[in-house]
């Protein structure tokens, strides 16, 4: 018992107890966010992919964060690059992308520079063609206007 009467021992014990409770406070928040992306990656894009299967046309090329939508659409996949919006459109054009799929929750959390595409202020190169309600927010499908497509690789 005498060792707890040392100077600073009470502060150390209080600090230890507060750190010990940190997981109780922070873990549920961190886990919920992590699990929303990791539990079933791209689940919200599946419905968009199924829609694209019937509406995307032959030879559709889908740009998305994950290949889920392109898989269900039966289309070729092009990964959404981490780049500025104009660079993304140039990249999409060079790779013959016909459709772009964006998940609202991911854009808001990870790619805020693309938020204007979700808010109805998309580039003239993008035509919104479909919207799916998702568990974490909307999933939007855009058609890349043909004049922006320069080649198909």
């Amino acid at each position: 018992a005498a060792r707890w009467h040392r100077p600073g021992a009470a502060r150390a014990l209080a600090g230890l107890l507060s750190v010990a409770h940190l997981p109780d406070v922070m873990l549920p928040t961190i886990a919920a966010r992590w699990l929303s992306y990791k539990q079933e990656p791209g689940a919200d894009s599946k419905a968009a992919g199924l829609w694209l299967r019937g509406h995307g046309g032959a030879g559709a090329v889908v740009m998305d964060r994950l290949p889920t939508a392109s898989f269900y659409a039966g289309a070729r996949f092009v990964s959404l690059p981490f780049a500025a919006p104009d660079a993304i459109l140039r990249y999409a054009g060079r790779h013959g992308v016909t459709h772009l799929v964006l998940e609202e929750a991911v854009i808001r959390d990870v790619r805020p520079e693309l938020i204007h595409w979700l808010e109805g202020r998309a580039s003239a190169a993008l035509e919104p063609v479909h919207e799916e309600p998702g568990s974490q927010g909307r999933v939007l499908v855009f058609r890349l206007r043909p004049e922006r497509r320069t080649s198909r690789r």
Side-chain angles (χ1 to χ4, degrees):
R3 67 179 172 191
W4 293 110
H5 293 293
R6 291 185 200 157
R11 279 191 303 245
L13 181 59
L16 181 61
L17 290 174
S18 65
V19 170
H21 288 291
L22 191 59
D24 295 338
V25 176
M26 296 295 292
L27 192 57
T29 303
I30 294 168
R33 173 107 6 161
W34 185 79
L35 287 173
S36 72
Y37 294 128
K38 300 295 181 187
Q39 215 166 27
E40 193 174 339
D44 288 343
S45 293
K46 178 180 177 178
L50 292 171
W51 181 87
L52 275 167
R53 178 180 292 274
H55 299 88
V61 179
V62 176
M63 178 181 277
D64 193 357
R65 173 179 75 97
L66 296 171
T68 309
S70 61
F71 173 80
Y72 284 99
R76 189 165 64 88
F77 170 68
V78 174
S79 183
L80 178 66
F82 277 96
D86 289 345
I88 290 171
L89 293 175
R90 285 191 305 274
Y91 182 82
R94 284 193 309 271
H95 289 84
V97 171
T98 59
H99 293 85
L100 171 65
V101 176
L102 297 177
E103 296 172 76
E104 182 174 30
V106 174
I107 298 304
R108 290 193 186 285
D109 290 348
V110 182
R111 303 295 305 274
E113 69 277 11
L114 304 179
I115 198 78
H116 62 281
W117 287 356
L118 299 177
E119 296 173 342
R121 295 177 287 137
S123 163
L126 297 174
E127 175 188 1
V129 293
H130 185 67
E131 182 177 316
E132 285 286 337
S135 62
Q136 301 292 314
R138 301 172 300 156
V139 177
L140 287 90
V141 179
F142 296 89
R143 184 176 68 85
L144 191 70
R145 297 187 193 279
E147 61 271 12
R148 293 297 300 218
R149 288 183 243 141
T150 57
S151 69
R152 288 193 185 249
R153 292 185 200 182

